[in-house]
Amino acid sequence: MKLQTKSLFILFLVLISPFSVFADGMTYDPDDGGSTYDDDSYYSVPDDEVNIFTKLTDWIFGVDNSIDTPDNTTTDDTPSDIVFNGTQNETEQSSAEAVMGDKEEAIIEASNSTQRILDEIKSDMVSYYCVGYEVGGLVQEVINAPDKIGGFSVFPVRITVKTPSIDSMFPEEVIDYGDDQYTIDVKGHTEINSVTFKVMQGGTVVSKYELLNLNLVSENQQHTFDAILKVPDDYASEVAVMVQGGNLDLNDLNALVTADVESFEIYTEVDHNLVVWKENAEYARWDLEEHEEDEEKPSRWDHDGDGDKIPSGDDEPWKNTSYISYRHTTSATQSILDGIVDHKGKEGGLGSEYRDQYDDEMFAFKADANGATSNIVMTIKSSMIHELNNPAGYSVTIIGYPEYFDTYSTDMKIQNVSYRLVAINYHADGTSTISTDSKSDGILPDLSRVGVINTILDYNSDGDTVAIYPFLLVSGRVYQTEDNPDRSFPVWAISKPRITIRSNYVFVITDHSKLIDSFLADGDFTESEKEQTEAMLEGDVADYLSKIAELESNRDFADDTDSKNAYQKAIDYYQKAIDSLTAISLTNTDSIIEGKNKAWYYESQAKDWVQIAELYYYGLDDQALTLASTTEEANSDSDFGLIGAISGDLIPAVITDNWLGILIVLAGVVVVFGGDIDLKSMKSGAKKVSSKMGKIKFPKK
């Protein structure tokens, strides 16, 4: 370090030394293992964590006081809504509610989950912008379709056309004839033969709906034509096979969940004829000429007709021209929804440590859905506890939504429905097997009514299991049962609930914590109970240290940043558990209760981060993120505080290339100093802090 920089820090330390909140009332005794003490207490504290003031002075003057013990300085960075001053059960209950919310409110939400999704997918028929050309005087006003089309759904389409007025297209002719005039009248109509609706991708017809042999005769009138079309779908036949049985691959199922609808447009074609009769000129001027009595008046519309005033089928028209008018949308895919997610559902689930708080109630879970999500509505309710080799109850609701087609027909049905609810066991080698399989026995009734399936998934695992994923698959067909019973479209849906099945974990401190609760319940904490408590907590600390050592090895072995970071978080939380236990005063009941409850809470966070790290390691980022969403860091509103942020090795935490920043807390004010630094000399003197720890010394107040 340059001399001027060191001088600056020495001057600064002299100025702030009277105000150091970290050294006030404490003395440093290097002969006593680096501990600090006052007249009333004795704590075991690592040398390099005595206080920031001491650390700075030691660093500046070259004193190396690092020892092979971890930091046990606790920081109050836990969520404020968790109960630490009660029993173990109260801590568990408040911890669960901090993550999952109020239990009774969640049960009410579950009862309303299906209706919420139905409200989400309700749609209105809107006008789509379209282009094309219209011939023969026919006018197609717009193409109407739903403003929401869920995934790979079947959807209604409507067009309105107006036939031309013949008088406006062919005004009568006024012809001078000597001193007189006569008019040649024109009559006619449009004959609509057929209307074709198509879903097109490039030049390929993906789905088609035809209204044939209409023989509709019209002049100057509006007509509405309705149809149903299918979004481009390459998966319907594949899902139909999956639902029936056989092994399922996790990658294939995830591909269905994330499948995107490819761009498409809606085309309409109207096949029509413009039929026009022009009045015979001889007939028109007949009354202006003189004729023999026996001379026959010619046909009005053609030379072979019978002289009717209105053209008949026997009259050969003056014009009979065939046309095809077409129009198509330009942005139909913009109405596609990628899937329906029940945003008010729960996420993640809980481990068996919360079984006492959550019995058999069913809760709605968030889910990623895909498929024909405007035609088939699925909600998944489940018990809150999800852990390997433990059964979990499921209540699945499958509803057909024929009301989506009401603008087209009120007689639509979703029939020939089959379902399959599975738990997929994903192994470390990347293969998938079925852990539990629950599927329909044959074909379900049509989904004009609500179908509820109650079942259990066992989450059977083996030594090679990395994660288990639940999925729901549904397959069926949309029918128009009366007008055209032979016309149908395949539909399918898949739902992947955001549930992470927890790994099996035996808590270090839970049984000890509950036993300590029983010691303290009668208000008489005997010497024998104190000794037993001290022995239990020392054993718990040793177990935590063993876990830290194993996790450090896993962290160093991991080759991805997410996994390394998650392992480090787990290590940090186990260290917080140690800190909470070593801060306990056995003569202070409140200290015992708070310390052991905090240790349990930190352990619960640590075990989650261990599983998150393992999920990241095997590339299961979706499960890792879902589980991470239930951790304290994702759900706590509390700030972790500056002291917690710099409670590790101070100097490495704030060094950047060619710059050094030191954070000093003075009466709540953060002061940042910067200066040049010789990184090479600093790094050469760095020493890794070991996770080993000697005998725990509890305060002897």
Side-chain angles (χ1 to χ4, degrees):
M1 172 182 285
K2 294 181 179 179
L3 180 60
Q4 61 187 25
T5 303
K6 182 170 288 190
S7 299
L8 172 63
F9 277 111
I10 294 173
L11 176 61
F12 174 71
L13 291 173
V14 170
L15 292 174
I16 70 165
S17 58
F19 308 102
S20 174
V21 296
F22 301 102
D24 186 27
M26 307 287 285
T27 58
Y28 177 68
D29 186 358
D31 295 329
D32 191 21
S35 62
T36 59
Y37 62 91
D38 56 23
D39 294 337
D40 300 318
S41 63
Y42 174 78
Y43 296 84
S44 175
V45 182
D47 286 352
D48 64 337
E49 292 292 327
V50 172
N51 55 66
I52 292 178
F53 181 78
T54 302
K55 177 177 283 189
L56 286 173
T57 56
D58 288 349
W59 169 69
I60 290 173
F61 293 107
V63 179
D64 182 7
N65 288 310
S66 59
I67 61 172
D68 290 340
T69 57
D71 171 33
N72 73 339
T73 303
T74 59
T75 58
D76 190 13
D77 56 10
T78 52
S80 58
D81 51 356
I82 295 180
V83 176
F84 292 114
N85 59 354
T87 65
Q88 170 71 30
N89 287 337
E90 290 172 329
T91 300
E92 292 175 1
Q93 176 67 42
S94 60
S95 177
E97 290 186 357
V99 174
M100 307 308 293
D102 181 76
K103 178 179 175 181
E104 296 305 320
E105 290 181 2
I107 293 174
I108 294 173
E109 283 181 3
S111 65
N112 298 327
S113 59
T114 301
Q115 187 58 50
R116 281 200 305 271
I117 296 179
L118 288 172
D119 291 341
E120 280 191 47
I121 66 175
K122 284 182 179 178
S123 62
D124 296 315
M125 296 291 281
V126 296
S127 299
Y128 282 50
Y129 180 75
C130 52
V131 296
Y133 67 87
E134 300 151 325
V135 289
L138 189 76
V139 176
Q140 179 180 321
E141 295 183 348
V142 291
I143 295 177
N144 287 313
D147 59 347
K148 298 176 185 177
I149 303 175
F152 298 87
S153 293
V154 178
F155 61 94
V157 185
R158 167 175 288 178
I159 63 170
T160 300
V161 300
K162 183 177 181 180
T163 56
S165 166
I166 299 301
D167 288 341
S168 62
M169 293 185 68
F170 303 97
E172 63 180 18
E173 298 180 38
V174 179
I175 300 175
D176 293 330
Y177 189 69
D179 294 332
D180 294 314
Q181 291 180 327
Y182 67 91
T183 61
I184 296 180
D185 199 4
V186 177
K187 298 291 183 183
H189 59 250
T190 297
E191 295 178 0
I192 299 178
N193 307 308
S194 65
V195 179
T196 302
F197 299 81
K198 301 176 183 177
V199 167
M200 300 280 291
Q201 285 185 311
T204 303
V205 178
V206 176
S207 69
K208 182 168 65 174
Y209 191 103
E210 293 179 298
L211 300 173
L212 303 175
N213 303 317
L214 295 176
N215 299 320
L216 177 62
V217 175
S218 172
E219 193 219 348
N220 196 25
Q221 291 180 304
Q222 281 190 338
H223 302 277
T224 298
F225 301 98
D226 292 293
I228 54 174
L229 290 174
K230 179 80 165 70
V231 168
D233 185 357
D234 296 329
Y235 306 99
S237 58
E238 177 184 352
V239 175
V241 173
M242 287 181 172
V243 171
Q244 299 308 314
N247 193 35
L248 298 173
D249 182 77
L250 178 62
N251 293 328
D252 293 341
L253 293 171
N254 281 332
L256 290 175
V257 173
T258 59
D260 292 326
V261 174
E262 297 179 1
S263 296
F264 69 93
E265 298 300 342
I266 303 168
Y267 280 69
T268 62
E269 296 178 359
V270 181
D271 184 324
H272 57 104
N273 282 46
L274 181 63
V275 184
V276 180
W277 289 266
K278 187 175 183 180
E279 194 174 35
N280 187 341
E282 292 182 27
Y283 178 91
R285 63 175 182 265
W286 180 268
D287 293 336
L288 300 179
E289 299 175 333
E290 294 183 359
H291 303 282
E292 299 293 334
E293 289 184 5
D294 58 350
E295 189 175 351
E296 185 177 353
K297 188 175 183 178
S299 169
R300 182 178 182 185
W301 302 109
D302 61 37
H303 298 289
D304 301 320
D306 57 9
D308 292 339
K309 293 183 179 181
I310 299 176
S312 68
D314 295 330
D315 297 320
E316 183 179 347
W318 171 53
K319 289 181 179 292
N320 187 350
T321 309
S322 296
Y323 298 100
I324 294 181
S325 296
Y326 85 92
R327 291 180 74 80
H328 67 86
T329 60
T330 59
S331 57
T333 314
Q334 292 182 6
S335 295
I336 294 294
L337 305 177
D338 290 332
I340 303 300
V341 176
D342 184 7
H343 295 286
K344 290 186 178 296
K346 297 304 175 185
E347 188 168 5
L350 297 172
S352 59
E353 65 268 24
Y354 296 106
R355 191 173 297 281
D356 291 341
Q357 283 71 43
Y358 292 91
D359 299 322
D360 297 325
E361 294 95 346
M362 292 292 178
F363 300 86
F365 277 83
K366 289 183 180 179
D368 297 308
N370 206 352
T373 53
S374 288
N375 309 141
I376 300 174
V377 174
M378 302 175 296
T379 58
I380 296 179
K381 300 174 188 176
S382 182
S383 54
M384 189 62 74
I385 307 303
H386 296 271
E387 190 169 282
L388 294 179
N389 300 309
N390 282 279
Y394 278 79
S395 180
V396 175
T397 302
I398 305 174
I399 303 174
Y401 190 53
E403 292 85 354
Y404 187 68
F405 302 100
D406 278 354
T407 56
Y408 165 72
S409 170
T410 58
D411 194 48
M412 301 296 294
K413 292 190 182 298
I414 301 171
Q415 297 178 319
N416 296 343
V417 176
S418 300
Y419 78 89
R420 191 176 186 188
L421 179 65
V422 295
I424 301 297
N425 194 335
Y426 183 77
H427 302 281
D429 62 359
T431 60
S432 303
T433 57
I434 294 176
S435 172
T436 310
D437 197 349
S438 176
K439 59 180 182 289
S440 53
D441 184 11
I443 302 298
L444 293 178
D446 68 77
L447 291 183
S448 57
R449 298 180 301 277
V450 176
V452 178
I453 300 140
N454 295 311
T455 188
I456 290 175
L457 294 183
D458 288 326
Y459 299 148
N460 297 320
S461 67
D462 52 42
D464 196 33
T465 296
V466 176
I468 291 181
Y469 286 82
F471 286 92
L472 173 64
L473 287 163
V474 178
S475 176
R477 297 190 75 87
V478 172
Y479 287 90
Q480 180 184 355
T481 55
E482 287 186 1
D483 295 342
N484 201 333
D486 295 329
R487 180 180 287 128
S488 66
F489 290 95
V491 288
W492 61 274
I494 185 171
S495 182
K496 179 184 180 182
R498 295 185 187 176
I499 294 173
T500 297
I501 288 75
R502 308 299 182 101
S503 57
N504 299 119
Y505 180 87
V506 178
F507 271 75
V508 169
I509 199 171
T510 298
D511 290 342
H512 292 167
S513 178
K514 291 182 178 180
L515 182 57
I516 293 171
D517 283 339
S518 69
F519 289 164
L520 301 176
D522 59 2
D524 182 18
F525 193 35
T526 66
E527 286 300 320
S528 173
E529 290 171 340
K530 288 181 182 179
E531 292 176 0
Q532 190 175 350
T533 297
E534 183 172 6
M536 287 190 296
L537 297 183
E538 286 182 355
D540 293 343
V541 169
D543 287 343
Y544 288 147
L545 288 170
S546 176
K547 290 181 180 295
I548 287 176
E550 180 181 355
L551 292 177
E552 285 178 335
S553 176
N554 292 343
R555 177 199 60 197
D556 296 341
F557 180 78
D559 56 2
D560 65 289
T561 301
D562 289 331
S563 184
K564 284 180 179 291
N565 289 342
Y567 275 125
Q568 185 58 52
K569 286 182 181 294
I571 292 169
D572 293 343
Y573 276 115
Y574 277 126
Q575 184 61 57
K576 288 175 184 286
I578 293 173
D579 296 344
S580 298
L581 295 183
T582 58
I584 288 175
S585 169
L586 293 176
T587 60
N588 186 321
T589 300
D590 291 340
S591 172
I592 297 171
I593 293 173
E594 181 174 338
K596 57 96 174 174
N597 285 342
K598 281 189 174 181
W600 177 89
Y601 175 76
Y602 288 133
E603 184 180 358
S604 72
Q605 297 296 307
K607 66 104 174 176
D608 282 350
W609 281 106
V610 170
Q611 186 173 0
I612 292 168
E614 293 171 350
L615 292 169
Y616 273 130
Y617 179 80
Y618 287 102
L620 304 180
D621 293 12
D622 56 343
Q623 287 253 322
L625 290 170
T626 297
L627 182 52
S629 71
T630 67
T631 64
E632 164 256 357
E633 292 186 18
N635 293 276
S636 173
D637 293 328
S638 65
D639 294 328
F640 280 78
L642 178 62
I643 297 176
I646 60 175
S647 62
D649 281 346
L650 174 66
I651 301 305
V654 294
I655 290 177
T656 59
D657 289 346
N658 299 319
W659 191 85
L660 171 65
I662 301 295
L663 301 178
I664 304 297
V665 180
L666 293 175
V669 179
V670 179
V671 183
V672 181
F673 283 81
D676 295 322
I677 184 169
D678 184 350
L679 288 176
K680 183 176 181 180
S681 62
M682 280 295 301
K683 291 179 179 178
S684 64
K687 182 177 181 181
K688 183 177 180 180
V689 178
S690 170
S691 295
K692 296 179 181 179
M693 190 172 188
K695 179 176 174 62
I696 306 303
K697 297 181 180 179
F698 292 95
K700 302 295 184 182
K701 289 187 178 180

